[in-house]
Structures are given as structure tokens and as C-alpha cells.
Amino acid sequence: MTTESATDGARPLVSLERGEIDRRIFSDPDIFEEEMRHIFGRSWLFLCHGSQIPKRGDFFEAPMGRDNVLVVRQRDGGIKALLNTCAHRGNAVCRAEEGNAKNFMCTYHGWTYDIAGKLVGVPGLDELYHNDLDVSANGLREVAQLEVYKGFVFATLDPQAPPLLEFLGRTGITGLEFLAGQGELEVVPGIQKFVIPCNWKFAVDNIFDWYHPQITHLSAFQTGLAGSADVRGTKMKTAGVAGPDGSEIQLPGGVASGAASDQMVFIDAFGHAISGPTVEALGDSGGRIDHSWRDSPEARGNLGPMARRSAGHASIFPTCWITLLSNQISLRVPRGPMETEIWWFTFVPKQAPPERKTAIAQGAIHSFGPAGFLEQEDGENWAQSTLQTRGNASAKIPQLLQMNLRRGKVVHDSDGLDPPYIECSINEHGQLWTFASWVHWLSGCGWPELRERTAPPDVI
Ligand code: FES
Ligand code: FE
């Protein structure tokens, strides 16, 4: 189904002008197939961090749409990403999610590949194949392009895709710098993975949603286990939400402050966005968040003044979320129209004292992942929202993204390091920008046209 044929008469799938979304995009199987082809088959995707595979033969399996790739440290210290599918009959050549290997032997008929993907063993090559098999042409296939930005490994299956830095733009780079700026990083062992019965785009939409915590996460903040209100909170007041002792409780991104610019949004080509509070509004979560790197000479060289003020949630289109609240990267991995696997990578500065590393890891576990208070609460909403796109009558109701609509004035810092940005209060610009860009990805247009169509407007 093309984007055009997916429209219902005059109704487009996404209206940037009206701030409306056709609900069918959250459960239609044909649209999901188009996403696999036009988005996940082409986009640069985050695979893993170099610190996860430090030694020769270390590997980590990562998803690229429905393809799975083995990200493998090579003999020369480089990194390759190999499709985890045997050239013979397609079986996966590796069943482990991560580890160290000297080679990968397929469990079906025993074809064996070295860590560079070269086919080095074929049972019966002489007697059965009569040496008439082109061994050199039947290694594991590689991704089309792989690049590493400060340890963050990305790849694309599209040889036509622009270089990684061009794809990321200032917004994607800013998001990665929220972590990289802290110095040399390492990933806490054990990537958390679990499934939520929802469409992946609900999980992406929520990255930018600072409107829901006061309701969705009330119980999590009342317990204090997901970070108490004053730990996670901003200086903004919420609208009369009472804590267990009857006192008013502050929650992140509170809505009743009336402050006109306590939030910042960045939008960029290809659908990347950052949205959330400023550093001043968020604070340091009781010392849990280290903002000191923002004034370093390196940060000043890499980021513009507005980017260094942002403590928002960064989304590298389509599914990579960077959150400095818990020092994590999350992937919203689509497994089906109504099924999403959530992955969490937790980062700690390599040189940090053990107690700080432990504090970061504990904060992350209590916030997100299967044991995280926040994500359990979020997941219930996303699952229900997905289900309600299936009703014959419900599916016809447009979904709304109209908060601050057409009031978001985009400032273009064309000479500097800042991405296009908006200063405002809580809004739905980040979500709307994601969906508006998503439509253009789905059209299957070429890269130059995609960049042009997703160039940030002056007002959103
Ligand atoms: Fe791998 Fe046959 S499918 S050896
Ligand atoms: Fe949430």
C-alpha cells in the first residue's frame, strides 16, 4: 500500500496543518510492511556501543527491521555487521545474543564462517560438491554501510544512504553528545529486552510527551522508587497533585507553571527531534544527572548554546531514544503492527567511581525496562491506544497532536551549531514532526527529496 492509496478519500494519513493522524497507521499490516521496506530497510539504525565488543571475536546481535545482524569486532580492531543468515539455506548462524566467537558454524548442515563472514568450512566440499561451489561468493552478507560516532555503532542496509553525520544532522549529534559529552563510556552488561503489545510509533511518540507524567506516573512518583518528585521533578508546579502526606507534589514537566520557555524542541531533517525541559527547569535530579560537561571546551566546540541548554529527550529517527535522565539509549524495535520489543542500553562514564556507576544503573532499572515503574505505566497506555485503532468506528476518529499547534516558531541557526529550535512550554511538536516526516519516508522517495521534504518549516 502506498501512502496515497492508504488515504481515505481526502483524509491524509498525517496532517501537519491540522495536527491530526489517521489511527490506522498504528495497526494496519500493509502500512507495517511499507515501514519495513521504506524506513527500516533504508535508515541508519543504532546497533550497539563499541564498549560492548572490545575484544577480537566479540559480537552483539542487533535488529535492522526484520533482519538481524552480528556486529563483530575484527582482527584489525575494526567492526563489521554481518547478516545472521546462512548462505546455504538461510538458517541463523548464531543463536546467542552476544558473546565471543572464533567462527560461526551453522547448526543445519555445518557451513562455517570466520568472524569477517568468510565461508571457511563446507562439509563435503570435495566429495559432494566436487569443489564446484563458489566459496568466495557465499560468505555472510554485510550491511551496506557501517559508521561509528564516538563509540556509537550505526549501520544502514541502503548503499545510497548519505554518510552518518549527514543523516544525524545537528539534532542527532546533539542527542548523542548528551551521552558522549560525559567522557569515555561503557555499557552496563545486560541489555534489557521485553515486549509490549503496542505499535512502535506509540512508544516513539511518548519520547516527547511531557504532558502525561502528572497522570500516568502519579503512583510511581508517590512511591519514590522511580525517583521522588523532588529528585526527578522540575521547578515547575503541577496543578494541585497531592502527595501521600497531602502536600503538593512536583513532577517532571509539570503543566501549570505558565513559564513560556521552560521547554525546548529541536526538529531536523529526516525526522529527528529533541523535546523536553531546559537544564535550568530540570535541575540535576538530586545529583543524579551530571551537567558539568556542558561547559567544557569540547562541548562548546561540538554543541551550540541552545543545544547545551537542553535536557530533553532525543529521538534519532526512527527508533533510537537517548535519555539523560537515566543515561540510557532505548530502541523501540517493531516486531509486528501491534508488537514492539523495547531494548535498553545503560551507559556509565568509564572513569566514574563504582558508587556512581551503581547509582546510575539502579536509577535506570527503577525507571525503565521490565522492572521500571515508568515503563510499566507507559506500556499499559500504549497497548490500549493501539487496541483502540482496530475498532470499526474508533479507527475513523483522528488522533490529535494539536498542543501549541502553529504557535511553535522555529529559529534557524544556519551559521552555528544549534539545530532548528523552538522555545515554548509543554507541546506536541516533537511527536507531530516525527509523524510528518514518517509520511515522507513511507513515500519511498529518494534521499535528496526526502531531505528536502523533511526540512524544518518556520512554524509548526
Ligand atoms: Fe546453513 Fe545449511 S542452512 S549449512
Ligand atoms: Fe512515561
Side-chain angles (χ1 to χ4, degrees):
M1 183 187 287
T2 66
T3 308
E4 260 180 30
S5 65
T7 57
D8 184 12
R11 188 157 59 111
L13 290 179
V14 177
S15 169
L16 187 58
E17 293 72 32
R18 293 200 303 278
E20 290 182 357
I21 313 286
D22 188 318
R23 289 192 189 191
R24 287 175 301 170
I25 75 169
F26 298 104
S27 49
D28 186 314
D30 292 337
I31 291 179
F32 185 82
E33 291 303 321
E34 293 295 291
E35 290 174 333
M36 288 295 111
R37 183 166 157 226
H38 293 306
I39 299 177
F40 294 91
R42 300 177 65 198
S43 183
W44 283 96
L45 299 167
F46 173 73
L47 302 183
C48 69
H49 188 260
S51 67
Q52 294 175 261
I53 48 171
K55 297 191 299 291
R56 182 173 73 187
D58 283 351
F59 68 88
F60 179 80
E61 191 190 44
M64 296 184 77
R66 288 201 187 94
D67 293 304
N68 295 307
V69 295
L70 297 165
V71 192
V72 192
R73 181 71 69 179
Q74 300 298 300
R75 286 186 170 76
D76 63 0
I79 293 172
K80 279 183 191 273
L82 310 164
L83 287 175
N84 187 7
T85 179
C86 182
H88 182 223
R89 215 73 108 241
N91 186 26
V93 298
C94 178
R95 307 291 177 88
E97 297 176 4
E98 55 189 299
N100 182 278
K102 288 198 168 40
N103 52 45
F104 299 104
M105 190 197 79
C106 179
T107 54
Y108 201 166
H109 310 91
W111 284 28
T112 300
Y113 306 85
D114 71 9
I115 58 172
K118 192 172 156 206
L119 182 56
V120 292
V122 176
L125 185 60
D126 295 339
E127 322 87 281
L128 307 177
Y129 280 101
H130 314 291
N131 278 313
D132 207 10
L133 178 75
D134 188 349
V135 171
S136 65
N138 283 299
L140 298 177
R141 305 307 201 261
E142 276 187 64
V143 296
Q145 301 183 60
L146 182 145
E147 287 193 53
V148 183
Y149 178 82
K150 297 192 177 181
F152 300 96
V153 182
F154 285 80
T156 169
L157 297 169
D158 184 356
Q160 308 298 326
L164 177 63
L165 286 184
E166 262 183 53
F167 170 79
L168 292 172
R170 295 307 317 170
T171 298
I173 290 170
T174 297
L176 291 174
E177 285 293 333
F178 286 168
L179 298 176
Q182 299 171 36
E184 193 178 355
L185 298 170
E186 60 187 15
V187 172
V188 176
I191 307 308
Q192 292 186 293
K193 304 172 185 174
F194 63 105
V195 173
I196 294 179
C198 71
N199 183 271
W200 66 276
K201 295 186 292 301
F202 273 115
V204 173
D205 174 315
N206 188 257
I207 292 170
F208 308 109
D209 191 320
W210 294 82
Y211 185 39
H212 77 285
Q214 60 168 346
I215 300 299
T216 296
H217 299 310
L218 183 57
S219 57
F221 290 108
Q222 282 180 328
T223 65
L225 283 174
S228 63
D230 59 332
V231 169
R232 290 187 55 92
T234 71
K235 297 186 179 89
M236 297 172 279
K237 296 280 184 190
T238 54
V241 177
D245 59 356
S247 62
E248 188 179 52
I249 129 172
Q250 292 182 30
L251 299 166
V255 296
S257 71
S261 59
D262 46 25
Q263 294 249 330
M264 293 175 65
V265 183
F266 301 85
I267 58 174
D268 222 328
F270 304 123
H272 312 310
I274 300 174
S275 183
T278 59
V279 170
E280 309 90 76
L282 183 73
D284 67 357
S285 283
R288 222 172 72 182
I289 303 175
D290 178 11
H291 292 299
S292 60
W293 61 270
R294 292 169 184 272
D295 282 326
S296 70
E298 199 181 346
R300 286 174 179 275
N302 286 333
L303 301 178
M306 301 309 284
R308 280 187 285 116
R309 267 188 72 204
S310 169
H313 286 161
S315 169
I316 297 175
F317 191 92
T319 57
C320 176
W321 171 24
I322 301 151
T323 170
L324 49 78
L325 289 178
S326 48
N327 245 38
Q328 290 181 290
I329 283 184
S330 176
L331 296 179
R332 287 45 178 106
V333 183
R335 294 302 191 197
M338 300 179 69
E339 189 171 280
T340 301
E341 199 165 301
I342 309 285
W343 286 31
W344 282 103
F345 301 73
T346 304
F347 294 84
V348 291
K350 199 167 179 179
Q351 306 306 335
E355 30 322 334
R356 175 153 173 74
K357 291 183 180 178
T358 302
I360 291 173
Q362 285 183 344
I365 289 166
H366 286 153
S367 300
F368 300 112
F373 267 64
L374 299 182
E375 206 146 47
Q376 290 181 43
E377 295 168 337
D378 286 326
E380 293 269 325
N381 292 332
W382 307 339
Q384 278 302 317
S385 295
T386 300
L387 272 179
Q388 306 319 317
T389 66
R390 295 293 302 271
N392 193 45
S394 306
K396 296 189 174 71
I397 304 169
Q399 191 156 295
L400 304 182
L401 289 167
Q402 298 179 338
M403 191 178 291
N404 208 48
L405 185 65
R406 292 188 296 277
R407 290 183 174 81
K409 191 174 170 318
V410 182
V411 180
H412 297 266
D413 177 28
S414 48
D415 298 331
L417 291 172
D418 278 323
Y421 66 90
I422 304 159
E423 290 186 272
C424 52
S425 53
I426 286 177
N427 63 84
E428 290 174 342
H429 298 316
Q431 298 95 312
L432 187 55
W433 185 245
T434 300
F435 290 114
S437 304
W438 171 89
V439 160
H440 297 306
W441 277 89
L442 216 62
S443 76
C445 67
W447 284 96
E449 192 176 345
L450 182 59
R451 180 202 303 277
E452 209 171 292
R453 288 197 200 178
T454 55
D458 294 331
V459 175
I460 183 172

